[in-house]
Amino acid sequence: IVHPSNFGAHRDKFERLVRGELDSFSVEQLFMRKDGSGVWVARMVSGVRGSTGRLSYFIQVVQDISARRAAEERERAMVQQAPVGIEHSTLDGRILQVNPKFCEITGYSEQELLALSNSDIVHPEDRGRERDGLMRQLLAGEIPSFTTEKRFVRKDGRTIWARRTVSVVRSPAGEPLYLVRLVEDVTERMQAEERYRATFDHAPVGIMHSALDRRILH
């Protein structure tokens, strides 16, 4: 009943159970139904021993988790195909997971990013800028998320501007587990704003912006 692609995948755990090194173990495994279709199950295996300690037989508790696995697969596909960069990190900034768009934005491969922390890719002048304020409020549960714009340093050394929305994933008890960052490259927009600002500041004519009540704004 075990699907051929999964057959023997957990033989080492069974052998350790037989030798008495494990009392039980749990795995997720693909089974094959009578009609040939696959079904994902959570399988908990324990051993029953006689008075001499010799293993007599196994008890296996099997639960159908196909719906949960399908939901996880849909979520994984959504993350992989998202048009914005997605990054998961520890509370101290070590990178745990990234999607392809995040790799494209930073210029690093997934393997390279998993060996880095956020401080390694954020511009030195922008590091820790949110730690004392917004991040503290986020971890304390005072705000659900926050958005900032920071400079990143790509692998090729080029500086880019990124718009980051940061949220936190919590345990059922409410404890912060890890951070999720949605990252968008806004370099072109920032450069356009800078060009506009330069034009405004150096214009050969006077320019004034005012509110509808005639208050001078710029």
Side-chain angles (χ1 to χ4, degrees), residues 87 89-95 116-119 131 179 181:
E87 174 217 336
S89 71
T90 61
L91 301 183
D92 61 2
R94 183 170 54 84
I95 297 173
L116 301 176
S117 66
N118 274 279
S119 61
R131 174 62 62 178
L179 299 171
R181 290 177 172 87

Side-chain angles (χ1 to χ4, degrees), residues 10 23 35 44 52 104 114 125-126 154 173 175 178 180 185 189 191 213:
H10 308 291
D23 295 325
D35 61 10
M44 186 177 71
T52 62
E104 178 186 325
L114 296 183
E125 295 179 4
D126 290 350
R154 286 172 45 89
E175 294 296 319
Y178 60 91
V180 177
D185 186 346
R189 194 206 78 202
Q191 290 174 342
D213 62 2

